[in-house]
Amino acid sequence: MKRRQFLLASGAAVAVLAISTAFRHMGAVAEAEEEVFEVTKTDAEWRATLSEPQFAVLRQEDTERPGTSPLLDEKRKGTFHCAGCDLAVYPSETKYESGTGWPSFWDSLPDAIGTKQDNSLFMTRVECHCRRCGGHFGHIFDDGPQPTGKRHCLNGLALTFKPATA
Ligand SMILES: [Zn+2]
């Protein structure tokens, strides 16, 4: 290889390296803005542990038909858990009858949920999901009762209930 050719080739290699480093850096910045969850599974793995309707709600942000959840009538003391990863997410003390046909709460347990803006269906809503696995629960509205004034409107399919043992 002549010296001139070598210089051109190595110059091109440096340029390629610089560009790919720049792209990797951009990728890292984009990923940092995405929420990272402790529990991550492939769709196939989720399907193995969830029913088809549970998968549609938790992993595809489907909404169950109102009035269909057995948890609407759940009035015992206890804790509602994520149906995906079993994290305790809502206490029975904040559950109330909203009349919407979906299980409703005025607050979650501390450090249990994450939220993001949801612009689907021509609306801007606050979507809420499990802090640990990212499973979709429902949405949060500003027409709830005191002390928070919030209505966490959840899919019963996304939750399981564990009655208090005491
Ligand atoms: Zn979860």
Side-chain angles (χ1 to χ4, degrees):
M1 198 189 273
K2 291 202 175 102
R3 183 175 162 77
R4 188 179 154 74
Q5 279 174 325
F6 173 78
L7 284 176
L8 281 173
S10 57
V14 167
V16 167
L17 200 70
I19 290 166
S20 68
T21 303
F23 272 103
R24 261 208 306 279
H25 182 66
M26 279 160 60
V29 169
E31 276 166 30
E33 286 167 3
E34 289 257 311
E35 222 177 324
V36 178
F37 298 107
E38 279 170 50
V39 174
T40 54
K41 295 185 190 185
T42 64
D43 280 359
E45 287 169 335
W46 281 121
R47 283 183 195 279
T49 57
L50 299 172
S51 71
E52 194 56 38
Q54 282 178 321
F55 180 86
V57 168
L58 283 163
R59 309 312 312 177
Q60 300 175 319
E61 301 196 15
D62 193 15
T63 299
E64 72 191 13
R65 277 195 303 121
T68 56
S69 176
L71 294 183
L72 284 168
D73 297 322
E74 183 55 71
K75 300 207 163 44
R76 289 173 289 172
K77 266 179 97 68
T79 311
F80 294 83
H81 291 241
C82 170
C85 74
D86 205 33
L87 180 69
V89 286
Y90 283 87
S92 59
E93 285 78 10
T94 65
K95 189 172 187 284
Y96 74 102
E97 182 48 67
S98 66
T100 58
W102 288 287
S104 301
F105 299 79
W106 49 261
D107 205 1
S108 61
L109 287 167
D111 195 29
I113 64 165
T115 59
K116 70 169 195 254
Q117 191 170 312
D118 176 1
N119 296 316
S120 65
L121 303 176
F122 310 104
M123 290 181 272
T124 298
R125 295 178 293 172
V126 176
E127 185 272 352
C128 82
H129 52 262
C130 174
R131 185 265 299 161
R132 188 159 69 179
C133 75
H136 170 69
F137 290 157
H139 291 87
I140 303 174
F141 301 93
D142 290 325
D143 56 8
Q146 292 305 316
T148 62
K150 299 289 183 187
R151 170 169 58 96
H152 295 232
C153 183
L154 308 185
N155 290 282
L157 280 166
L159 305 169
T160 58
F161 178 71
K162 295 189 180 171
T165 45

